[in-house]
Amino acid sequence: VQLQASGGGLVQAGDSLTLSCAASARTFTNYAMGWFRQAPGKEREFVAAISWSGDLQYYPDSVKGRFTISRDNAKNVVYLQMNNLKPEDTGVYYCGASFGRRPYGTTAYEYDYWGQGTLVTVSS
């Protein structure tokens, strides 16, 4: 499975940004999907996860109410809508695919495939 993340950029605090992750999987619905981020000098951090059907999502408190994960199984794409961005949201954002996991994973080791990452920089 190949994952291609896109949509990162430089924004100001309070702005919105939407990331996309396109998957090459033959059966996209076999995979729960997630987004993680990594700031310089820090470990990869869980941001959002979604079940194979899209009906279940999970967020850590740090982004809950500001970020929304969604997926389009017809297009093999998962999205991360980010609103009210803060400087602490800065980092490289990675999408991950977790084969067969129900409903989703919240730690990096639960994911089998990763995209190349897209950089999000939020200025204050």
Side-chain angles (χ1 to χ4, degrees), residues 22-46:
S24 68
R26 175 174 292 184
T27 309
F28 187 51
T29 51
N30 280 342
Y31 298 85
M33 300 296 294
W35 285 96
F36 289 72
R37 66 188 179 193
Q38 190 164 16
K42 295 187 176 181
E43 294 186 352
R44 194 166 292 193
E45 175 190 16
F46 169 69

Side-chain angles (χ1 to χ4, degrees), residues 29-33 49-53 71 97-112:
T29 51
N30 280 342
Y31 298 85
M33 300 296 294
I50 190 166
S51 62
W52 69 271
S53 62
R71 64 190 293 164
S98 179
F99 180 77
R101 188 164 298 277
R102 299 287 188 268
Y104 41 64
T106 59
T107 60
Y109 81 87
E110 295 175 282
Y111 286 79
D112 306 294

Side-chain angles (χ1 to χ4, degrees), residues 66-85:
R66 299 188 298 122
F67 289 13
T68 302
I69 188 171
S70 62
R71 64 190 293 164
D72 185 335
N73 287 338
K75 296 181 178 179
N76 283 20
V77 179
V78 62
Y79 304 96
L80 184 68
Q81 171 70 42
M82 304 184 292
N83 297 325
N84 190 23
L85 282 161

